Amino acid sequence: MRQTIFLFFLSNVLLADGLFQKKTYVQDLEEFELKPKYKSEAYQSGESWPRILDDGTTKEEYEFYAKKCPASEIKDAAQILYLLSPFDSVFVLKHCSEVPESLRGGLEKSTKQKIYDLSFLPIYEKIPTVELPEHSILNDSFEIWKRTVYRYSNFYKNDLLFLETERQFSNQLIRVLYSESSLSQKLLSIKKITEDMRNHNLAKLQMYLYSNQNPVLAKSLDEENSFLHKYYKSNIYSFLEEGEISNQDKKKLKDFESCLEAVKKDANQRLLLFYGYFSDYERFLSMPIANSNPKAVQQWNFVKRNVLRSHHFSGRTTELSDTCSIIQSGQ
């Protein structure tokens, strides 16, 4: 009992003396933000890491059930949905092969609704209609959210739902704001979500800095960068030809392209930092369905327009250019 009281007293003294000073979340994310460290130490440890793989199992399941689904309209919708959520797409095709024809109309409708829902990523902001007082945790949460959605989402990843983590954090924060909880409960929940976002971003940064996991079976940083440079250049050309992308975003892409040429000459920089951006959006450059179904083509154009004119595409494109500029200026 005495020992417990002593430890409690000691911890309070240490905290009171400021020996364990608590940083604000924006300060903690990061000292890296104040002094960006983009020079990766990957490949220096000699450890072996696996290649970043696509989920082949889901693709095999998709192809298996697509052959069994007799409704072409549902198959076209499922093919569009696959780009947003592979698991949901497989579920739709499996259901299509099992339900009677009388129920397929409802399945097609629910599939199109799912596509519509996943085409949008909610925006989190300090919504004026929510009566919350000015509080530092709200400012911090919004700043960390912007970093999560626009900056750290550009780091490499392989999610099975389009912008999965970003969507999860956004929905959590919005639900809290509009909940009927007390003010103290709302602030506590927002603080917890903000901590989770910060830790998520730090984990991505660590992956970038120290893991030599990569999209190809590269044995060295030079080999990895060579592949990525060609991959980015090819996608940039396609993006600049895409009519749904705004002129402002195209200018940012051109700025990034110029910066990329300068950065790739630095043997210590890792171009994998931008892989998430291109791997996320390249899928929306080519139509996944045949022109034989006008309704499906119309839906695909709707999805592409929503994605390429969205706040997250513009925000991530800006961060793409800005992050590269930070790297170049720090060389």
Side-chain angles (χ1 to χ4, degrees):
M1 182 66 179
R2 289 181 179 178
Q3 185 179 13
T4 302
I5 294 173
F6 173 77
L7 289 174
F8 176 78
F9 173 78
L10 179 61
S11 64
N12 282 332
V13 170
L14 291 173
L15 289 171
D17 288 342
L19 295 182
F20 294 120
Q21 293 181 356
K22 179 172 173 45
K23 302 175 183 177
T24 68
Y25 294 114
V26 175
Q27 286 172 338
D28 191 47
L29 186 67
E30 266 51 80
E31 293 172 353
F32 168 77
E33 296 286 350
L34 301 175
K35 296 180 180 179
K37 179 187 177 184
Y38 285 113
K39 292 203 172 185
S40 175
E41 297 182 20
Y43 294 103
Q44 295 182 12
S45 66
E47 297 179 8
S48 295
W49 290 76
R51 175 183 174 185
I52 301 174
L53 296 173
D54 294 327
D55 192 335
T57 303
T58 306
K59 188 66 175 177
E60 291 173 4
E61 289 181 331
Y62 171 86
E63 293 172 351
F64 174 78
Y65 288 113
K67 293 177 182 178
K68 300 181 69 173
C69 173
S72 60
E73 294 83 0
I74 293 178
K75 284 197 285 189
D76 283 339
Q79 197 160 359
I80 296 173
L81 180 59
Y82 189 86
L83 302 181
L84 299 164
S85 176
F87 279 132
D88 282 317
S89 179
V90 170
F91 175 79
V92 166
L93 290 172
K94 183 176 184 299
H95 203 36
C96 171
S97 67
E98 296 171 346
V99 300
E101 185 177 356
S102 60
L103 297 179
R104 289 178 194 149
L107 178 60
E108 181 183 354
K109 183 178 179 180
S110 64
T111 303
K112 290 180 177 179
Q113 182 63 48
K114 187 74 174 180
I115 292 171
Y116 177 85
D117 293 340
L118 293 179
S119 298
F120 295 92
L121 179 74
I123 298 178
Y124 167 65
E125 52 192 338
K126 291 175 289 181
I127 304 171
T129 56
V130 179
E131 295 183 1
L132 285 176
E134 189 67 18
H135 195 285
S136 62
I137 189 59
L138 295 176
N139 295 329
D140 284 353
S141 67
F142 186 47
E143 290 303 315
I144 298 299
W145 177 86
K146 288 193 294 185
R147 285 167 167 80
T148 303
V149 172
Y150 301 143
R151 176 174 295 186
Y152 285 87
S153 59
N154 285 346
F155 283 49
Y156 68 97
K157 62 179 183 177
N158 182 37
D159 290 340
L160 289 173
L161 179 67
F162 180 58
L163 292 176
E164 178 178 17
T165 305
E166 294 78 7
R167 189 181 306 277
Q168 173 189 334
F169 285 134
S170 302
N171 285 329
Q172 286 177 349
L173 287 163
I174 290 170
R175 279 197 297 269
V176 170
L177 284 179
Y178 283 109
S179 71
E180 296 181 357
S181 304
S182 66
L183 173 60
S184 60
Q185 288 175 322
K186 286 184 178 182
L187 293 176
L188 189 62
S189 296
I190 291 173
K191 179 181 178 182
K192 175 62 171 65
I193 298 169
T194 303
E195 289 175 344
D196 290 343
M197 287 193 294
R198 179 199 62 187
N199 292 335
H200 165 77
N201 294 343
L202 284 171
K204 278 196 170 185
L205 176 62
Q206 294 298 311
M207 284 280 287
Y208 162 74
L209 289 175
Y210 301 112
S211 168
N212 57 16
Q213 184 180 12
N214 60 82
V216 290
L217 295 175
K219 301 296 190 297
S220 66
L221 182 58
D222 182 65
E223 184 180 351
E224 178 184 295
N225 280 349
S226 177
F227 165 82
L228 290 170
H229 178 259
K230 294 176 183 177
Y231 173 66
Y232 297 158
K233 290 282 286 186
S234 174
N235 274 287
I236 290 170
Y237 175 80
S238 299
F239 284 161
L240 294 177
E241 294 294 311
E242 174 54 57
E244 295 296 350
I245 297 178
S246 71
N247 290 332
Q248 183 178 0
D249 288 337
K250 287 181 179 179
K251 182 182 183 305
K252 289 292 184 181
L253 283 164
K254 289 178 182 177
D255 292 342
F256 170 75
E257 184 177 23
S258 299
C259 178
L260 181 67
E261 295 302 316
V263 169
K264 79 180 182 69
K265 297 175 183 178
D266 187 334
N268 295 317
Q269 296 292 0
R270 193 178 194 191
L271 300 186
L272 193 64
L273 183 70
F274 312 110
Y275 181 69
Y277 175 92
F278 290 100
S279 63
D280 274 346
Y281 292 118
E282 70 165 338
R283 71 188 79 172
F284 298 103
L285 297 179
S286 57
M287 188 164 63
I289 52 176
N291 286 316
S292 56
N293 186 344
K295 289 185 178 179
V297 172
Q298 184 179 13
Q299 185 173 34
W300 167 246
N301 290 333
F302 170 82
V303 169
K304 184 171 72 169
R305 186 179 304 113
N306 283 343
V307 171
L308 298 181
R309 293 186 179 183
S310 63
H311 70 90
H312 57 80
F313 181 79
S314 293
R316 293 178 71 184
T317 304
T318 298
E319 283 291 350
L320 190 75
S321 175
D322 290 352
T323 302
C324 191
S325 297
I326 292 173
I327 293 174
Q328 186 178 8
S329 64
Q331 289 181 358

